[in-house]
Amino acid sequence: MTRHTLNPDIWVDQYADYLFNFTVSRVTDAEIAKDLVQETFLAGLKSAKNYKGDAAERTWLVAILKRKIIDYYRKINSKKGKAEVRINYNSNHDSDGDWLEEQVADPYSTVNSSDMENKELALALEECISKLPKKQSMVFKMKTIQGIETEVICNELGINPSNLWVMIHRARTALMSCLNQNWF
């Protein structure tokens, strides 16, 4: 197994654009996205001593960023209840570290969660995804859950990137509505 190392001196140059694009597609506000990326870098610096080297540096930063995004949504939706969308990925030894939200906790997160809440939300989310139109559900799962690249999805399904993002936006809107009715 390859051991990775952290090099915080290159984070902004190497990862800022990727992390920003990742974030802005989830929060749709550029200023909030910038703030979350900055918080991610700060949390990464603070928790660098906990980095074990099992995952690539970017993967580790993305795991921290995902927690920052979850914390952001929890904060703005606090009236509706605290929720964390934690999707379990099957882990095998060949892909250890690819989905660090299973393995790495952000020690600076201000949010506590319960396993029961996460299981209930996962079930509610699965139910809501099953109610989406078939193609919308497929695109949402491929992009958001499986993390498949936009170009690969578009080629496989014969759609263009704009169409893909419209379907993902509609899926997210429908899922939020469904979760508001059935879980929050």
Side-chain angles (χ1 to χ4, degrees):
M1 179 182 218
T2 305
R3 286 282 171 210
H4 301 278
T5 59
L6 293 181
N7 186 359
D9 295 334
I10 66 164
W11 286 358
V12 172
D13 292 336
Q14 291 288 316
Y15 308 122
D17 288 341
Y18 177 83
L19 296 175
F20 174 77
N21 289 331
F22 180 91
T23 308
V24 82
S25 70
R26 286 154 178 82
V27 298
T28 66
D29 183 306
E31 291 306 312
I32 291 170
K34 288 177 190 175
D35 290 345
L36 291 172
V37 171
Q38 288 176 358
E39 289 177 25
T40 298
F41 287 145
L42 183 59
L45 287 171
K46 287 180 179 178
S47 62
K49 63 186 173 291
N50 299 327
Y51 179 71
K52 294 180 180 135
D54 294 337
E57 190 172 48
R58 185 176 92 167
T59 304
W60 184 73
L61 289 169
V62 169
I64 294 170
L65 177 58
K66 286 179 179 180
R67 297 203 179 277
K68 294 296 177 189
I69 293 169
I70 289 167
D71 287 351
Y72 164 75
Y73 277 111
R74 281 186 168 173
K75 183 177 177 185
I76 65 170
N77 290 316
S78 62
K79 289 182 226 160
K80 296 176 184 173
K82 294 183 178 180
E84 179 174 340
V85 178
R86 185 178 287 179
I87 300 167
N88 293 320
Y89 297 90
N90 292 330
S91 179
N92 60 41
H93 297 293
D94 296 330
S95 65
D96 280 351
D98 289 348
W99 296 103
L100 287 186
E101 62 270 37
E102 289 183 280
Q103 302 169 25
V104 177
D106 179 359
Y108 299 96
S109 175
T110 58
V111 180
N112 293 321
S113 62
S114 75
D115 288 337
M116 177 67 95
E117 226 177 45
N118 288 332
K119 287 176 185 169
E120 289 173 3
L121 178 56
L123 291 172
L125 184 59
E126 284 178 33
E127 178 68 25
C128 290
I129 289 173
S130 73
K131 293 178 182 177
L132 292 173
K134 185 177 179 181
K135 196 165 189 178
Q136 222 177 57
S137 172
M138 185 184 326
V139 167
F140 179 81
K141 288 179 198 175
M142 291 172 80
K143 184 67 181 166
T144 307
I145 297 173
Q146 297 169 346
I148 298 173
E149 294 293 325
T150 299
E151 186 177 340
V152 173
I153 297 170
C154 290
N155 289 338
E156 191 171 316
L157 300 179
I159 59 176
N160 64 44
S162 296
N163 190 245
L164 176 129
W165 290 110
V166 167
M167 285 194 274
I168 289 175
H169 173 73
R170 288 180 180 164
R172 286 179 179 155
T173 302
L175 290 173
M176 195 61 207
S177 175
C178 179
L179 288 173
N180 280 332
Q181 292 172 356
N182 300 309
W183 193 75
F184 293 124

